[in-house]
Amino acid sequence: MTPPLAPTRDLAALEQRLALIACGENSRPGKTRACDSHRRKGAALLRITATGAVDALAAAICGPGHNHRACTSCMEKAVKMVRVYNGESE
């Protein structure tokens, strides 16, 4: 069961923000949008982020083929996404 989302949040904006983090917002100076692939994953990323399951979120970002462990970069992105979801400072 997925935890409820805070009703005061703009879910579309939050979903876009999480997709951008997953895509690698620091990969290119001035990057403001996630790629098509990460935007399509936005709703799933939001659902996983809402659970606070960093390992599962990192695995979803990293994708298959990593021997059941996400890379360090994707783990860092997952931690940041949970912080953003919880309203903590970046």
Side-chain angles (χ1 to χ4, degrees), residues 2 6 21-22 56-57 62 64 68 75 79-80 90:
T2 302
I21 295 169
L57 182 57
C62 214
H68 308 291
M75 284 297 292
V79 168
K80 183 173 184 175
E90 295 182 52

Side-chain angles (χ1 to χ4, degrees), residues 6 14 45 62 71 82:
L14 180 58
L45 294 172
C62 214
C71 69
V82 170

Side-chain angles (χ1 to χ4, degrees), residues 4 10 14 26-27 29 34 38 47 54 56 62 66 72 75:
D10 180 349
L14 180 58
N26 297 324
S27 64
H38 283 101
R47 282 193 305 275
V54 175
C62 214
H66 291 277
T72 301
M75 284 297 292

Side-chain angles (χ1 to χ4, degrees), residues 28-41:
R28 186 184 69 207
K31 184 175 184 176
T32 59
R33 289 186 60 176
C35 69
D36 290 341
S37 175
H38 283 101
R39 279 198 309 269
R40 283 191 299 272
K41 294 179 185 177

